[in-house]
Amino acid sequence: MSEQTQAGVFGDFGGRFMPEALIAALDGLDVAWQEAMGDAAFVDEFETILRDYAGMPSPLYEATRLSEQVGARILLKREDLNHTGAHKIRNVMGQALLTKRMGKKRVIAETGAGQHGVASATAAAYFGLDCTVYMGAVDTRRQALNVARMHLLGATVVPVESGSATLKDAINEALRDWVATVDHTAYLFGTAAGPHPFPSMVRDFCRGIGDEARAQCLERYGVLPDAIAACVGGGSNAIGLFTAFLEDPDVAVWGFEAGGDGVETGRHAATIGAGRPGVLHGARTYVLQDDDGQTIESHSISAGLDYPGVGPEHAHLAASGRAIYESVTDTEAMDALALLARSEGIIPAIESAHAIAGALRKARELAAEKGPEATVLINLSGRGDKDMGTAIEWFGLGDPDRVTAEPVGEPPEESAP
Ligand SMILES: Cc1ncc(COP(=O)(O)O)c(C=O)c1O
């Protein structure tokens, strides 16, 4: 399964490949995190914040109209209903609580879709910390609403113009800041990637997703799902869901990467599917790279999945065969977004729409094999409000002539109200 042979190493992946200046800080963070997780008062405070402030546990919802169309039972883990609108709040509240425990007064963060930036700014406001968020300039434009939210929450947002001006460049810039300020600053890393201890620490702060979903499913149906599914950017929502099920051999584990314009076009972010082992942001993992080993730019309609690396535990789960990773194109994701909106009245984040699209594709195959009892549990990692600008453009909704036109997407197949 996902055995960790030594701290931060997952099979052939993981580790810590970082500038000397950060090694002591990462060691300190590792020790502080281990101590905190062994301290019942810390764990209790973390759980209380998640429950009373952030709205956990998130519901497990049986999507009946969607299920009828697919011919399998589709369960949605509603992380979109969490405070700030995504799973990211779990990780950030854990790391910010740890920052407080370590006595640091300033936090920095990188963000792609802006969800982690908003969650970090929220945590900083909650704990009274100074907060700076690095965000690719391309992303500040496609996620303008989240930039405004961060400003309102009191954070400084730094647009990063270097490279592709997306998530990988924001991480580079945040790491540069951290090298210079590490004595008083904590880096709230936004996904289960990067150098040890981040992949393990972020996984543990997010693992409530799967722990809750597993218990909710057993309580309601008396059985585990046949398959679980999540989208994979760096991998925090996916590993947060997967961890609770990795020792259940009958539960299939599916991760969906961003296929962009199609993997064959070269414009995609399907790191596991089309990358090769290399080192990115301090960890050995699958990386999109050219023949000289240079990291190449990724592409996805979804800012949160637009990353040429992936968390090392996912690399290991893929290499070991415990989890299966496939890609979903921009078009497939946007079709799924429209389908979920019209079938269930839920507008998902575009990241989460990748999980919906991929999981429904595979659920149809599973249903053909197992019949309508086949159960697929999908993590709905976030809500789509932040993506309305992209949706307006994609579906042509900004056109005033559309006001009286047909709604977007295929109408769901007829089913009982
Ligand atoms: C709603 C949502 N889902 C998924 C992701 C992808 O991140 P990860 O792979 O770390 O879950 C993001 C990233 O911004 C996000 O905002």
Side-chain angles (χ1 to χ4, degrees):
M1 304 286 152
S2 189
E3 82 278 5
Q4 221 170 314
T5 45
Q6 77 190 71
V9 176
F10 306 91
D12 292 337
F13 302 97
R16 181 191 280 168
F17 301 83
M18 290 305 276
E20 202 54 40
L22 289 178
I23 296 296
L26 290 165
D27 278 340
L29 182 61
D30 193 12
V31 170
W33 164 58
Q34 304 278 359
E35 281 175 3
M37 293 310 266
D39 177 351
F42 178 89
V43 174
D44 188 54
E45 192 174 355
F46 178 50
E47 285 172 359
T48 302
I49 293 169
L50 290 190
R51 186 189 64 226
D52 296 348
Y53 180 71
M56 273 99 204
S58 60
L60 186 70
Y61 165 69
E62 181 167 343
T64 47
R65 299 223 316 138
L66 204 56
S67 301
E68 280 171 28
Q69 291 175 63
V70 177
R73 182 156 58 200
I74 304 297
L75 306 177
L76 302 178
K77 179 65 174 157
R78 298 289 309 273
E79 290 289 297
D80 59 313
L81 296 179
N82 296 346
H83 181 45
T84 70
H87 70 289
K88 300 272 178 189
I89 191 79
R90 295 181 185 261
N91 168 41
V92 127
M93 282 313 205
Q95 288 196 52
L97 186 60
L98 192 56
T99 302
K100 191 183 92 171
R101 186 182 165 100
M102 293 173 77
K104 295 193 175 182
K105 299 274 182 279
R106 176 176 181 258
V107 292
I108 55 171
E110 85 296 336
T111 195
Q115 282 305 126
H116 175 62
V118 168
S120 298
T122 301
Y126 180 93
F127 288 107
L129 302 167
D130 188 45
C131 179
T132 299
V133 179
Y134 291 91
M135 188 168 187
V138 167
D139 294 335
T140 58
R141 287 190 286 275
R142 58 184 165 178
Q143 301 291 343
L145 182 64
N146 271 344
V147 175
R149 289 165 83 193
M150 287 183 261
H151 282 148
L152 208 52
L153 290 160
T156 303
V157 181
V158 180
V160 176
E161 301 281 356
S162 58
S164 54
T166 58
L167 183 57
K168 111 176 135 40
D169 312 291
I171 295 178
N172 289 339
E173 234 19 78
L175 284 170
R176 246 170 239 138
D177 178 321
W178 204 30
V179 168
T181 59
V182 68
D183 53 326
H184 65 281
T185 297
Y187 183 0
L188 305 185
F189 205 74
T191 190
H196 179 70
F198 288 116
S200 305
M201 184 170 73
V202 174
R203 174 200 61 207
D204 285 0
F205 286 140
C206 289
R207 68 164 294 163
I209 302 170
D211 289 340
E212 290 167 18
R214 194 175 183 283
Q216 288 164 322
C217 193
L218 280 175
E219 192 191 26
R220 197 170 320 156
Y221 304 102
V223 288
L224 292 175
D226 296 293
I228 56 170
C231 65
V232 182
S236 65
N237 88 94
I239 206 68
L241 174 68
F242 295 174
T243 300
F245 296 91
L246 291 177
E247 304 299 328
D248 297 317
D250 294 335
V251 178
V253 177
W254 303 334
F256 296 99
E257 302 189 291
D261 292 344
V263 173
E264 69 290 349
T265 66
R267 276 174 53 79
H268 61 81
T271 311
I272 293 175
R276 282 181 290 120
V279 171
L280 182 64
H281 297 138
R284 184 176 148 79
T285 186
Y286 287 112
V287 182
L288 295 180
Q289 52 190 299
D290 63 19
D291 291 341
D292 297 326
Q294 293 296 322
T295 306
I296 54 179
E297 282 167 20
S298 53
H299 164 79
S300 170
I301 190 167
S302 141
L305 303 183
D306 201 349
Y307 181 56
V310 67
E313 194 166 358
H314 288 292
H316 175 58
L317 289 171
S320 70
R322 177 63 187 98
I324 289 171
Y325 296 83
E326 293 185 0
S327 64
V328 165
T329 63
D330 289 354
T331 303
E332 289 170 324
M334 294 309 281
D335 285 350
L337 182 146
L339 178 70
L340 190 65
R342 291 194 63 183
S343 303
E344 298 287 347
I346 299 171
I347 302 177
I350 300 178
E351 290 81 9
S352 321
H354 284 71
I356 302 288
L360 295 191
R361 184 169 76 204
K362 289 187 77 68
R364 288 193 172 90
E365 294 166 19
L366 198 66
E369 206 182 293
K370 295 203 161 187
E373 288 304 298
T375 301
V376 176
L377 192 160
I378 309 170
N379 192 35
L380 195 65
S381 54
R383 65 175 185 233
D385 307 39
K386 70 181 176 59
D387 293 315
M388 284 314 294
T390 307
I392 285 169
E393 238 179 79
W394 182 272
F395 295 115
L397 299 173
D399 179 354
D401 294 339
R402 269 204 71 90
V403 172
T404 54
E406 287 295 303
V408 300
E410 291 295 315
E413 284 161 24
E414 269 315 301
S415 58

